[in-house]
């Protein structure tokens, strides 16, 4: 009889004791970061090819002459973007955020300066590099807007964590990462007309690249709200009083 009682308690829990909130399956929690790493590899490959052009003495064309004229900003942008996109993907693993707070803090101290370098070098190139034939004023304006929003998001996320406001820290850093990963989504969108042998004109190219940034931001807002709902549900299920900022940072 005691054995039966123990077995029942193990399955349904002690009467009157709330069941613990369900945790995400270990394999499932790696789906998002894996997808982000794969998406990051597209611009990283393009950046690697650009670096090989600069170091290998490739032919100077209207498309790349601005990089040869002033290579430092583009080199900083490529290297910092690679670090930011790859390392940032692992910030989306719930178990790393919950169980390895030290790792989360150390990687954050790398990601903040890397993200600032990505945004600042991108803004510098938008302002001071001559426009290539494939770009136009619309795309220039979009780059200035999204680069500024990324820069502002990182600063606001950093200030939020200094106040131990983990909800806003997580939200702003997610938005900054979404903008930073825009190059990956842009490559996926722009490859379609390229495969159809109908490269977009200057205006269409600007619209498609702007749409890629907006898609990433829409996904980021979905993840931010989903994380908030799951944290609230987990707090209610456990019956514990959990500080909102602590719950959302899980």
């Amino acid at each position: 009889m005691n054995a039966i009682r123990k077995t029942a308690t193990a399955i349904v829990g002690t009467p009157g004791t709330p069941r613990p909130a369900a945790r995400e399956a270990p394999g499932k929690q790696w789906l998002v970061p894996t997808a982000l790493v794969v998406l990051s590899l597209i611009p990283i490959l393009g950046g690697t090819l650009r670096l090989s052009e600069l170091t290998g003495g490739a032919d100077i064309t209207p498309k790349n002459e601005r990089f040869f004229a002033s290579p430092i900003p583009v080199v900083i942008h490529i290297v910092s973007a690679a670090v930011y996109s790859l390392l940032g993907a692992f910030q989306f693993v719930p178990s790393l955020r919950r169980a390895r707070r030290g790792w989360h803090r150390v990687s954050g101290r790398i990601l903040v300066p890397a993200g600032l370098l990505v945004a600042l070098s991108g803004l510098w190139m938008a302002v001071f590099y001559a426009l290539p034939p494939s770009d136009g004023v619309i795309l220039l304006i979009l780059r200035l807007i999204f680069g500024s929003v990324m820069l502002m998001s990182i600063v606001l996320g950093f200030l939020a964590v200094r106040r131990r406001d983990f909800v806003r820290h997580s939200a702003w850093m997610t938005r900054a990462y979404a903008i930073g990963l825009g190059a990956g989504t842009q490559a996926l969108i722009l490859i379609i007309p390229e495969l159809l042998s109908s490269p977009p004109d200057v205006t269409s190219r600007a619209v498609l690249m702007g749409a890629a940034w907006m898609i990433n931001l829409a996904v980021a807002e979905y993840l931010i709200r989903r994380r908030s709902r799951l944290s609230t549900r987990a707090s209610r299920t456990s019956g514990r009083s959990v500080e909102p900022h602590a719950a959302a940072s899980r």
Side-chain angles (χ1 to χ4, degrees):
M1 188 65 181
N2 288 338
I4 295 174
R5 187 178 297 117
K6 288 179 180 178
T7 303
T9 301
I11 294 174
V12 302
T14 304
T17 302
R19 296 179 68 181
R23 293 289 180 88
E24 203 168 18
K28 190 177 178 181
Q29 66 178 331
W30 286 93
L31 289 177
V32 171
T34 301
L36 294 175
V37 168
V38 172
L39 191 60
S40 301
L41 293 178
I42 301 173
I44 289 175
L45 177 61
T48 303
L49 294 174
R50 182 71 67 199
L51 291 178
S52 66
E53 277 186 357
L54 293 172
T55 57
D59 294 336
I60 298 177
T61 68
K63 287 187 176 181
N64 64 17
E65 61 181 355
R66 62 193 187 283
F67 302 127
F68 282 95
S70 180
I72 293 178
V74 71
V75 171
I76 292 175
H77 189 76
I78 291 170
V79 174
S80 57
V83 173
Y84 185 72
S85 57
L86 288 179
L87 186 58
F90 293 95
Q91 299 293 69
F92 291 87
V93 181
S95 61
L96 290 180
R97 292 200 309 272
R98 284 193 296 261
R100 297 179 183 273
R101 298 292 178 90
W103 185 90
H104 185 75
R105 282 194 292 268
V106 170
S107 59
R109 288 169 184 155
I110 299 173
L111 285 169
V112 168
L116 291 175
L117 286 175
V118 173
L120 289 171
S121 59
L123 288 170
W124 195 98
M125 292 190 292
V127 172
F128 294 105
Y129 276 171
L131 281 176
S134 58
D135 294 354
V137 176
I138 297 176
L139 183 55
L140 169 63
I141 294 172
L142 290 175
R143 282 175 171 150
L144 293 176
I145 292 173
F146 284 104
S148 300
V149 174
M150 180 181 176
L151 184 64
M152 179 193 71
S153 298
I154 294 173
V155 172
L156 290 176
F158 175 75
L159 294 176
V161 80
R162 297 275 296 177
R163 299 191 305 270
R164 302 188 65 77
D165 185 348
F166 299 113
V167 169
R168 288 185 174 81
H169 165 71
S170 176
W172 284 117
M173 289 305 184
T174 300
R175 293 179 184 116
Y177 185 80
I179 297 173
L181 207 57
T185 308
Q186 288 163 353
L188 286 180
I189 291 179
L190 290 172
I191 198 173
I192 296 174
E194 293 287 347
L195 291 176
L196 296 175
S197 301
S198 57
D201 56 26
V202 172
T203 303
S204 300
R205 175 178 159 82
V207 170
L208 291 174
M209 292 184 71
W213 275 310
M214 292 305 298
I215 290 171
N216 281 15
L217 279 176
V219 174
E221 292 300 326
Y222 168 78
L223 291 176
I224 291 168
R225 282 156 179 73
R226 179 176 179 271
R227 199 157 49 205
S228 177
R229 285 198 304 272
L230 291 175
S231 297
T232 303
R233 190 183 307 166
S235 300
R236 289 174 179 169
T237 303
S238 65
R240 291 181 288 115
S241 175
V242 178
E243 293 293 331
H245 64 264
S249 66
R250 290 177 177 176

